[in-house]
Amino acid sequence: MLSLHQLRCFLATYEHGSLTAAATELGYAQPSVSEQIRALEKSLGVQLFRRVGRGVVPTTVADELRPHAERTLAAAEEARRAVTSAKALQTGTIRFGMFGAARLYAGAGLVADVLARYPGVRVELIGQNSNEVQEDLRRGRLEAAMIAVPAATSEGMTVTPVAKDELVYISADPERLASPVTPQRFAQAQLVMPETTWRAVDSTRIVLRQMLHETGRNPTTRIEVEDIETAVELVGMGLADSVIPKGAALQLLPRLAPSAGYVSLRPRQYDTLAVVHRSGATLSPAARLMIELATRRIQQIAEPYSPR
């Protein structure tokens, strides 16, 4: 029966034309390599090498065997790497970038998905804002992430849109929710908006500024806060209205502002959710797993992305 050990000895001997040189490369005694070659020849019923002086010359049968031996050893090495990676995935730490709003309706479920497959891993979800997450990617602190675009996408990044999340107008005043909110109405609203630190580059605000472009105005805020939960609570108190992703509205309104509701903008506006990683990077099994599971989670809540 053929063995990987025999094939390694065969290839080393073939490449060096010497049993002694092959033994030196492999770290074996020369008689051990000779024994493996004889066992391989006996198993195949052929002669693979002829002795010439102090060396050996491959036969035509050896020429035929060589590419098959190389492919077999390459496949075995690939299998070993796959098992090693899977073993590391079972016990290591998985880190994945996730912008702030997405964690509200996908974060806990995503962690649960990972632990259901790999109970022994440690999970880290990193990030509050898409631009912050991209900076961690650029600096090599993360392999891959889920972000909202348009964000200030860095050069050298591959961005793959996977879903669209509608932006909705939330208010505690039923009259303001009677019909979709036009740019003209929106321009006159009293607003509370989250992500104040990132207000210049926040994806939601960029979309809203583009919507209001035809009115010649920018969205004006009455209240600025950092987190979306505080914004929703203030809407529930009737102190201001806001615009947030629909996925977040479905999660937060019943809990933090049960008297409030939501309505679409006219025309409808969307945040595009995308997977991002460094261009040309070879992603680890952990990163590929997180991309797969995060995409599945997001597409269960938001509309799957399809290019126009």
Side-chain angles (χ1 to χ4, degrees), residues 8-166:
R8 289 190 187 95
C9 291
F10 162 74
L11 283 177
T13 303
Y14 187 102
E15 291 168 2
H16 291 286
S18 165
L19 291 168
T20 302
T24 300
E25 178 187 308
L26 296 172
Y28 303 144
Q30 191 268 346
S32 175
V33 174
S34 297
E35 181 182 349
Q36 293 301 317
I37 296 297
R38 284 196 299 272
L40 181 59
E41 290 177 327
K42 182 177 180 181
S43 176
L44 295 173
V46 297
Q47 182 181 2
L48 295 173
F49 298 100
R50 294 190 303 272
R51 289 189 175 274
V52 177
R54 295 186 177 182
V56 294
V57 175
T59 65
T60 56
V61 176
D63 293 335
E64 291 293 327
L65 176 61
R66 180 184 182 182
H68 297 286
E70 290 174 336
R71 285 195 294 269
T72 299
L73 291 177
E77 176 60 20
E78 185 176 348
R80 185 197 65 77
R81 287 197 300 266
V83 171
T84 300
S85 296
K87 181 180 178 181
L89 189 58
Q90 291 174 354
T91 58
T93 295
I94 296 177
R95 305 179 78 238
F96 189 70
M98 202 75 164
F99 70 100
R103 65 183 163 78
L104 297 172
Y105 46 97
L110 176 58
V111 172
D113 291 342
V114 175
L115 295 181
R117 289 199 189 187
Y118 299 101
V121 302
R122 179 173 178 271
V123 182
E124 296 182 5
L125 288 186
I126 309 296
Q128 290 292 325
N129 181 275
S130 294
N131 292 275
E132 176 189 34
V133 171
Q134 282 205 97
E135 180 64 15
D136 282 342
L137 283 167
R138 188 182 68 82
R139 293 180 177 273
R141 298 169 185 156
L142 293 169
E143 273 193 274
M146 181 79 73
I147 67 168
V149 294
T153 309
S154 302
E155 290 186 10
M157 294 291 173
T158 295
V159 179
T160 305
V162 296
K164 297 194 306 179
D165 197 2
E166 184 181 0

